[in-house]
Amino acid sequence: MTVRTLPDTLMLAEVAADWLAQRVALKPELTVLVATGQTPMGMYGRLAARVQAGTLDCSQVTAVQLDEYSGLAPEDPRRLRDWMMTSFVTPLRILKVVPLDDPATFTAELEALGGLDVAILGLGPNGHLGFNEPPSGPDAPTREVALTPESLLSNRHYWNGLDVPTRAVTAGMDVILGARETLLLVSGAHKRAILGAALDGPETPEVPASYLRRTALTVLADQEARP
Ligand code: F6R
């Protein structure tokens, strides 16, 4: 496990963009699990700038959706698919996407691709990864789940006063932990305690992120999250 504390979110975004760009340079057809949420947006913006400048080519990358709310109409503005498309897939000029709708189709598509090279993850305030809410053990499969009150609260600020859907489909812990490398991005004092539990506490289904230590993990945190 590598843990780096960066002075601020700008540096975090820059170092995170370097991390992914290096992997794309080594393997242009990288298969990448893509978190939405606030934390990775700076990283995605920097990657997009590099693509625009012609210093990074992501045209052979496959983007894999991490999670999606259940029961939304195709045109609903809260779809995480659209967030992934507008923040990552379109600006990085990525051509291949594995959407997450039906768990069985998703699992089969991922298997056909040979699994994930890289998972880019944020950390939920309750230790969730994707929407693997506590308790989620390491074998939890891709499935539909009910969101916990903490996740409903933390997702509320994404949607400008719209309600947060109460159910979601998430890539399983088995998928996430199967990635050949994982990048966990954490920012803000409100994540300090849960990041400490994930990195320094016992492995437990009550903190799903604690299982990331089983993977080839890089954690990039800002000063507030990991002083
Ligand atoms: C988003 C996701 C979530 C977030 C987590 C942190 O696709 O799967 O697990 O990564 O809730 O969210 P932020 O980054 O908004 O603090």
Side-chain angles (χ1 to χ4, degrees):
M1 172 168 76
T2 303
V3 182
R4 280 189 69 183
T5 297
L6 287 315
D8 55 34
T9 52
L10 294 178
M11 279 303 293
L12 186 143
E14 202 62 47
V15 172
D18 286 346
W19 188 94
L20 190 69
Q22 281 159 12
R23 278 141 186 93
V24 173
L26 288 171
K27 183 176 180 184
E29 67 284 7
L30 208 70
T31 301
V32 182
L33 188 70
V34 182
T36 52
Q38 307 264 288
T39 318
M41 291 305 126
M43 170 195 184
Y44 298 169
R46 270 155 190 79
L47 289 166
R50 294 178 194 195
V51 169
Q52 193 135 27
T55 55
L56 174 67
D57 178 2
C58 291
S59 60
Q60 295 181 65
V61 167
T62 299
V64 180
Q65 189 176 1
L66 172 59
D67 43 18
E68 183 60 276
Y69 299 122
S70 299
L72 296 182
E75 67 281 6
D76 193 294
R78 294 166 295 177
R79 280 166 60 95
L80 297 179
R81 168 101 43 92
D82 293 339
W83 193 353
M84 175 184 75
M85 295 304 291
T86 54
S87 64
F88 190 81
V89 173
T90 304
L92 271 60
R93 302 182 190 154
I94 289 172
L95 304 171
K96 283 168 282 177
V97 174
V98 177
L100 178 51
D101 297 314
D102 163 57
T105 311
F106 175 82
T107 305
E109 277 193 59
L110 212 53
E111 254 177 51
L113 282 168
L116 293 171
D117 290 310
V118 162
I120 302 169
L121 301 166
L123 177 63
N126 57 0
H128 76 204
L129 297 174
F131 282 126
N132 288 284
E133 302 281 38
S136 288
D139 299 326
T142 299
R143 66 206 184 285
E144 188 176 37
V145 298
L147 300 196
T148 57
E150 290 98 326
S151 294
L152 290 171
L153 192 66
S154 70
N155 279 217
R156 192 178 298 163
H157 66 272
Y158 299 157
W159 309 117
N160 260 333
L162 291 178
D163 284 344
V164 178
T166 56
R167 300 187 69 79
V169 179
T170 184
M173 291 295 291
D174 57 350
V175 169
I176 292 171
L177 299 179
R180 287 180 268 280
E181 282 189 278
T182 48
L183 177 66
L184 179 69
L185 302 177
V186 191
S187 155
H190 63 300
K191 298 278 180 77
R192 190 180 300 166
I194 193 66
L195 180 59
L199 300 186
D200 312 319
E203 278 192 357
T204 165
E206 297 308 323
V207 183
S210 63
Y211 294 108
L212 285 177
R213 288 173 286 171
R214 295 181 179 189
T215 68
L217 173 65
T218 300
V219 181
L220 299 179
D222 68 7
Q223 197 78 44
E224 294 191 335
R226 189 79 171 170

